[in-house]
Amino acid sequence: QVQLEESGGGLVQAGGSLRLSCAASGRSLMYYTMGWFRQAPGKEREFVAAIRWSFGSTFYADSVKGRFTISRDNAKNTVYLQMNSLQPEDTAVYYCAASSRYSSTPVDYDDWGQGTQVTVSS
């Protein structure tokens, strides 16, 4: 099992930036995919971005391509989500998750953080 703790959420104006962090512990991430998901009130949890830890390969939801960047720091066992050009529709609770599969589907992720709130004002 992987323990995950997100940080970095907050309130930002439209067009602004935030960087989320997710610190992982409990297991080597070498064979994991780390994903970011988000859930807005009244909506289902949706995929944002993922990175395959060993290769560093990434993929993104169409809604965030060109604005968000996922990255990792091997030494710190931490994954980041740099969010630029934020819009009110990006407002949600953002979750970090770990999976043994290279997937964008929430059910494929076994371990989840507690989430961090991102609010974008217009």
Side-chain angles (χ1 to χ4, degrees), residues 53-101:
W53 196 270
S54 56
F55 298 108
S57 51
T58 61
F59 61 110
Y60 298 88
D62 288 343
S63 59
V64 306
K65 276 181 184 176
R67 299 188 300 125
F68 291 11
T69 303
I70 189 171
S71 62
R72 74 201 188 310
D73 185 323
N74 286 326
K76 296 182 178 180
N77 236 31
T78 298
V79 62
Y80 303 98
L81 186 67
Q82 177 67 42
M83 305 185 295
N84 299 328
S85 302
L86 282 161
Q87 299 302 316
E89 52 266 34
D90 295 315
T91 295
V93 177
Y94 283 71
Y95 297 89
C96 174
S99 174
S100 58
R101 300 183 180 185

Side-chain angles (χ1 to χ4, degrees), residues 7 16 22 38 50-51 58 70 79 82 94 101-102 104 109 113 115:
S7 60
C22 174
R38 65 187 182 186
I51 185 167
T58 61
I70 189 171
V79 62
Q82 177 67 42
Y94 283 71
R101 300 183 180 185
Y102 194 47
S104 62
Y109 285 75

